[in-house]
């Protein structure tokens, strides 16, 4: 009898986990490769599930596509691995169980870089291999991203008449990670032609049952559920699952009462869990009609965001000249000079001081702590840099919520210099998200939503700058990155320092069409060694020979060299102020007096310019 005909009248118990079972036996590499090197072990696991009562087993091919196999250098073995897997499952089933060819999702909980085009290519390759081996059905499982599942399901539906099971993974009870309610996801999947729709992985029976309470029986399709055994625990360097089989026995009837007809297990489950399901449902008829609990509305809080005490910088710089100054947190514990600098800069009338986030990957006093104190003590607006390097998504989200609580609403979102350049070269550079994704994440908080789409009960009021590096070979490419950052929500840009008038003109020409304003970076040179270092060792920075010669002539006179650095910076300010409203001054080595002098100079220069414009 066809698998679907059987489901019309009775339950089918499916198998449980393969991957976590292999892991618990000690395999810590590519599970799918074992189809080639340990086929007997895979066959025994299938047999154990069939003996436990499974009427459907899935091939050991969850990650057997080239995108995932390339981690192990096995991207050319897709056909071999899938074919072997299907043959092993068929041999183990020996006519006693149906065989589903499994294809897992690629886009996980983390924001993903894998394009749909790439996913389609890899999916087709795997699908054809499984179909050629004559499986009884196709099982699409562990899809966090509905768009991905809809895409691959449409391909599979076109290619085969075999029954297709399409399963998503919950973000939390009731919804996917983009907050799509499960009932809606199921009806979309049914619309594309899934014969069975359901849930698998990530969460256990509790959350799946809670979810199913608000899911009606599909019109044509059947419902499935493959819960995890429990939430995984991490002990002695290994993950393990604690949920015991008795707990599964108790939940079997609840799954039946929610209308599930295909019931199996995902991560952490074992033949004992499957036997518990099978024993408990033996002789029971599946549910024909279901009463659905009214769905709890997800209310995104309408609470207004706390008002900003200062307008965002992008608004200021669009209207008038504006100076911001980078004054980095110290590398040592004494912050006296830092606060002296902040006060002096406040008196110089600048719009903001920016505080780097462990620049050059070397630890400094936490910039949000100092930013808060600056605001308290001087009333000056702190702009904190946030890198993707030091915090994973959990840390970033928490950090942003903290900045909101502290009223630090101005952020520069940057990738961050990699750890290997800094004081702790062995430290990990996290990079869970790119600078683009970080910008989107911050803007999502302004919608009152967390990165995973959860309601945060309040909207944040961040204004977000993106970094602009004009000191690259292709300015055109750098500007294309700015456009992409604008698409992700960047409100304005702050640039690396520029050291020549020609470069200022070139940059101005390249960015003038952008709708987001640019604060152009300028930094006074402190001496000849500083100039030579920047010119020769910092990628992209080129200082004109004439300027380097001026600095070199004062090699033995640091005081005069400092004055010369200031004079050079002033002539760059003269040129920059004609082109840009926003000037970003970088303070070298905590020498804030230089920034104060240059801030004052910029103000006088821009006042002269505006008087000239008024007269003209
Ligand atoms: C104003 C400013 C402040 C900064 N503050 C900090 C800080 O506080 N802490 C810190 O650690 N780092 C800081 N940085 C450094 C920054 O993280 C790195 O220099 C980063 O690579 C460039 O900025 P981003 O993070 O926006 O890079 P993105 O635009 O996200 O670029 C990321 C990577 O892509 C590559 N890339 C970018 N543009 C091009 C191009 N045109 N051609 C080829 N490849 C390209 C580069 O390898 C770059 O590293 C700052 C940089 C700027 C401009
Ligand atoms: C990571 S969720 C899917 C797992 C797969 N069905 C296995 O058990 O290996
Ligand atoms: Zn799983």
């Amino acid at each position: 009898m066809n698998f679907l005909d059987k489901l019309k009248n009775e339950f089918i118990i499916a198998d449980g986990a393969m991957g976590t079972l292999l892991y618990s036996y000690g395999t810590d590499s590519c599970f799918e490769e074992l189809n080639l090197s340990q086929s007997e072990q895979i066959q025994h696991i299938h047999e154990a599930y069939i003996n436990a009562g499974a009427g459907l087993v899935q091939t050991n091919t969850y990650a057997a596509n080239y995108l995932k196999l390339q981690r192990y250098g096995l991207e050319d073995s897709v056909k071999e691995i899938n074919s072997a897997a299907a043959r092993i499952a068929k041999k183990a089933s020996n006519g006693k169980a149906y065989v589903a060819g499994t294809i897992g999702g690629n886009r996980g909980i983390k924001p993903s870089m894998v394009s749909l085009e790439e996913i389609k290519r890899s999916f087709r390759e795997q699908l054809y291999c499984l179909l050629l081996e004559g499986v009884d059905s196709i099982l699409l499982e562990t899809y966090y991203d509905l768009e991905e599942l809809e895409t691959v399901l449409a391909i599979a539906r076109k290619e085969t008449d075999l029954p297709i099971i399409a399963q998503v993974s919950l973000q939390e009870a009731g919804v996917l990670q983009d907050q799509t309610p499960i009932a809606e996801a199921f009806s979309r999947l049914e619309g594309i032609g899934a014969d069975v729709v359901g849930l698998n992985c990530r969460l256990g029976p509790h959350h799946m049952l809670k979810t199913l309470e608000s899911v009606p029986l599909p019109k044509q399709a059947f419902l499935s559920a493959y819960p995890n055994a429990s939430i995984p625990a991490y002990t002695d360097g290994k993950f393990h699952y604690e949920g015991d089989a008795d707990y599964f026995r108790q939940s079997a009837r609840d799954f039946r009462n929610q209308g599930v007809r295909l019931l199996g297990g995902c991560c952490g489950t074992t033949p004992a869990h499957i036997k518990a399901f099978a024993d408990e449902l033996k002789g029971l008829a599946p549910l024909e009609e279901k009463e659905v609990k009214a769905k709890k509305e997800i209310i995104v809080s309408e609470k207004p965001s706390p008002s900003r005490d200062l307008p965002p910088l992008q608004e200021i710089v669009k209207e008038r000249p504006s100076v911001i100054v980078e004054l980095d947190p110290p590398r040592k514990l004494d912050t006296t000079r830092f606060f002296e600098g902040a006060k002096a800069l406040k008196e110089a009338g600048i719009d903001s001081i920016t505080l780097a986030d462990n620049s050059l990957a070397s630890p400094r006093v936490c910039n949000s702590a100092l930013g808060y104190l600056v605001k308290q003590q001087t009333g000056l607006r702190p702009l904190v840099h946030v890198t993707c390097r030091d915090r994973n998504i959990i840390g970033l989200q928490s950090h942003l919520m903290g900045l909101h609580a502290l009223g630090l609403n101005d952020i520069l979102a940057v990738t961050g210099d990699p750890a290997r350049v800094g004081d702790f070269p062995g430290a990990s550079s996290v990079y869970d998200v790119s600078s683009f994704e970080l910008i989107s994440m911050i803007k999502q908080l302004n919608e009152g939503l967390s990165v995973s789409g959860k309601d945060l009960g309040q909207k944040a009021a961040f204004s977000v700058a993106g970094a602009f590096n004009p000191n690259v070979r292709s300015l055109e490419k750098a500007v294309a990155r700015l456009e992409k950052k604008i698409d992700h929500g960047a409100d304005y840009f702050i640039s690396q320092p520029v050291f020549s008038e020609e470069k200022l003109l070139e940059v101005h020409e390249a960015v003038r069409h952008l709708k987001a304003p640019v604060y152009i970076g300028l930094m006074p040179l402190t001496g000849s060694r500083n100039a030579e270092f920047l010119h020769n060792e910092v990628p992209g920075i080129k200082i004109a020979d004439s300027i380097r010669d001026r600095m070199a002539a004062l090699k033995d006179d640091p005081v005069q060299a400092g004055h010369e650095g200031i004079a050079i910076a002033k002539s760059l300010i003269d040129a920059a102020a004609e082109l840009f409203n926003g000037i970003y001054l970088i303070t070298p080595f905590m020498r804030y007096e230089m920034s104060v002098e240059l801030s004052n100079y910029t103000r006088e220069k821009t006042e002269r310019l505006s008087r000239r414009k008024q007269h003209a």
Side-chain angles (χ1 to χ4, degrees):
M1 198 194 315
N2 173 299
F3 165 72
L4 284 182
D5 286 337
K6 190 159 175 163
L7 267 188
K8 275 185 195 141
N9 303 307
E10 49 191 290
F11 293 108
I12 296 183
I13 298 297
D15 55 355
M18 175 64 78
T20 50
L21 206 55
L22 290 168
Y23 180 75
S24 73
Y25 296 157
T27 303
D28 201 3
S29 59
C30 177
F31 301 135
E32 288 75 9
E33 191 279 330
L34 299 190
N35 293 319
L36 304 178
S37 62
Q38 304 277 343
S39 64
E40 280 186 5
Q41 186 181 18
I42 304 300
Q43 188 181 329
H44 288 154
I45 293 176
H46 288 318
E47 284 164 358
Y49 279 122
I50 294 167
N51 291 336
L56 173 74
V57 290
Q58 55 170 296
T59 52
N60 178 31
T61 52
Y62 169 72
N65 62 53
Y66 79 79
L67 289 173
K68 288 183 176 163
L69 288 177
Q70 66 193 6
R71 275 181 227 157
Y72 306 98
L74 290 169
E75 63 275 19
D76 294 331
S77 306
V78 174
K79 183 162 194 305
E80 243 183 309
I81 290 176
N82 281 278
S83 304
R87 283 200 296 270
I88 298 165
K90 280 165 71 172
K91 192 165 166 202
S93 80
N94 196 18
K96 289 182 293 206
Y98 297 102
V99 171
T102 291
I103 305 181
N106 289 284
R107 291 182 169 176
I109 306 170
K110 249 174 77 168
S112 168
M113 303 285 186
V114 192
S115 72
L116 278 184
E117 282 316 306
E118 186 102 69
I119 285 170
K120 282 188 205 167
R121 214 173 309 140
S122 118
F123 181 82
R124 279 185 197 282
E125 182 185 22
Q126 194 183 359
L127 178 71
Y128 296 150
C129 296
L130 291 167
L131 291 177
L132 274 175
E133 288 300 330
V135 292
D136 302 311
S137 64
I138 293 294
L139 169 58
L140 310 176
E141 68 167 6
T142 329
Y143 284 80
Y144 287 92
D145 183 84
L146 188 57
E147 185 187 33
E148 179 183 3
L149 180 51
E150 288 180 309
T151 305
V152 299
L153 171 59
I155 294 176
R157 188 67 295 163
K158 227 169 125 194
E159 296 294 337
T160 178
D161 292 330
L162 288 180
I164 301 178
I165 307 157
Q167 295 185 151
V168 291
S169 297
L170 294 169
Q171 163 70 22
E172 57 186 292
V175 290
L176 297 180
Q177 69 184 7
D178 69 354
Q179 298 296 296
T180 306
I182 296 303
E184 185 191 324
F186 284 178
S187 100
R188 279 160 62 173
L189 295 170
E190 196 184 3
I192 301 171
D195 301 292
V196 179
V197 291
L199 304 169
N200 82 288
C201 206
R202 187 161 144 82
L203 296 168
H206 172 81
H207 291 91
M208 287 196 180
L209 288 165
K210 206 166 145 202
T211 300
L212 291 168
E213 282 174 4
S214 55
V215 172
L217 293 180
K219 290 191 201 83
Q220 302 289 330
F222 300 107
L223 283 181
S224 65
Y226 287 44
N228 277 0
S230 70
I231 291 165
Y234 190 66
T235 25
D236 301 331
K238 275 198 126 196
F239 287 103
H240 71 97
Y241 292 80
E242 297 192 331
D244 71 9
D246 243 10
Y247 177 61
F248 266 47
R249 185 186 312 282
Q250 289 159 30
S251 68
R253 279 168 194 258
D254 297 332
F255 277 109
R256 181 233 169 234
N257 294 340
Q258 292 304 336
V260 170
R261 287 184 185 220
L262 175 64
L263 185 59
C266 206
C267 296
T269 58
T270 63
H273 293 83
I274 296 309
K275 183 167 184 329
F277 273 164
D279 288 352
E280 196 62 18
L281 293 181
K282 200 174 251 159
L284 274 184
L287 193 80
E288 298 289 346
E289 273 178 46
K290 176 177 173 185
E291 211 175 291
V292 177
K293 250 197 186 173
K295 195 173 75 205
K296 228 172 72 191
E297 280 297 312
I298 301 168
I299 305 156
V300 174
S301 173
E302 283 309 314
K303 242 194 203 169
S305 21
S307 59
R308 295 179 52 112
D309 38 9
L310 292 165
L313 282 172
Q314 71 270 19
E315 283 176 20
I316 293 179
V317 75
K318 274 181 191 163
E319 299 210 338
R320 62 161 172 84
S322 166
V323 178
I324 60 176
V325 176
E326 177 168 334
L327 184 70
D328 288 336
R331 289 167 182 267
K332 297 190 176 175
L333 291 175
D334 185 355
T335 53
T336 317
R337 202 167 148 73
F338 171 84
F339 284 106
E340 277 169 19
K343 283 187 191 113
L345 287 162
K346 162 79 178 165
E347 280 160 26
I350 64 167
D351 284 314
S352 172
I353 69 166
T354 92
L355 299 100
D357 188 8
N358 304 322
S359 53
L360 295 174
S362 292
R364 291 163 178 269
V365 179
C366 167
N367 64 351
S368 38
L370 287 190
Y372 179 73
L373 293 172
V374 163
K375 195 173 164 188
Q376 293 289 305
Q377 295 182 14
T378 69
L380 186 55
R381 172 209 309 261
L383 186 161
V384 291
H385 303 198
V386 175
T387 70
C388 307
R389 180 198 54 230
D390 299 338
R391 302 171 191 87
N392 65 11
I393 303 187
I394 305 166
L396 278 173
Q397 163 93 39
S398 151
H399 185 58
L400 294 171
M401 289 163 75
L403 292 176
H404 170 76
L406 294 172
L408 301 180
N409 294 319
D410 300 278
I411 298 179
L412 167 65
V414 290
T415 307
D417 301 311
R420 75 186 123 78
V421 308
D423 283 0
F424 298 108
S428 25
S429 300
V430 180
Y431 302 139
D432 265 6
V433 293
S434 66
S435 60
F436 303 115
E437 289 159 340
L438 176 58
I439 292 169
S440 302
M441 223 175 134
I442 299 170
K443 278 305 175 76
Q444 196 154 321
L445 262 76
N446 284 1
E447 298 300 314
L449 297 173
S450 77
V451 65
S452 61
K454 272 191 196 161
D455 176 19
L456 293 173
Q458 199 176 69
K459 291 176 177 169
F462 292 120
S463 144
V464 189
F468 171 30
N469 185 2
N471 302 312
V472 285
R473 215 172 296 150
S474 161
L475 194 53
E476 205 180 313
K477 279 194 192 148
V479 173
R481 289 184 81 81
L482 301 190
E483 279 162 357
K484 195 167 164 197
K485 286 180 184 178
I486 293 175
D487 291 342
H488 282 75
D491 296 306
Y492 62 106
F493 297 105
I494 305 182
S495 92
Q496 296 278 32
V498 172
F499 288 96
S500 74
E501 286 183 29
E502 298 74 55
K503 191 79 188 178
L504 284 171
L505 285 164
E506 197 192 336
V507 172
H508 176 252
E509 208 41 46
V511 301
R512 60 190 302 172
H513 66 285
L514 295 178
K515 61 179 186 207
V518 172
Y519 277 92
I520 192 78
L522 298 173
M523 183 169 82
L525 297 168
T526 54
S528 179
R529 276 169 62 177
N530 177 232
E532 292 307 313
F533 165 74
L534 291 168
H535 179 76
N536 294 300
E537 295 188 41
V538 178
I541 295 192
K542 287 287 161 256
I543 302 178
D545 289 350
S546 56
I547 293 181
R548 280 165 48 226
D549 290 347
R550 275 166 76 180
M551 298 309 290
L554 297 166
K555 207 158 57 190
D556 301 321
D557 187 345
V559 176
Q560 274 311 317
H563 293 323
E564 193 66 4
I566 290 275
I568 294 165
K570 283 180 178 171
S571 64
L572 287 172
I573 289 172
D574 287 342
E578 306 264 358
L579 303 169
F580 296 91
N581 254 0
I583 305 285
Y584 165 57
L585 298 171
I586 298 143
T587 308
F589 313 113
M590 200 57 93
R591 290 170 68 172
Y592 67 81
E593 300 86 353
M594 289 178 117
S595 297
V596 168
E597 183 172 349
L598 294 176
S599 302
N600 287 332
Y601 183 82
T602 311
R603 197 185 53 249
E604 287 154 17
K605 168 77 188 172
T606 54
E607 281 170 5
R608 274 201 307 278
L609 275 180
S610 74
R611 277 199 299 275
R612 204 173 73 194
K613 275 189 196 143
Q614 276 166 11
H615 287 300

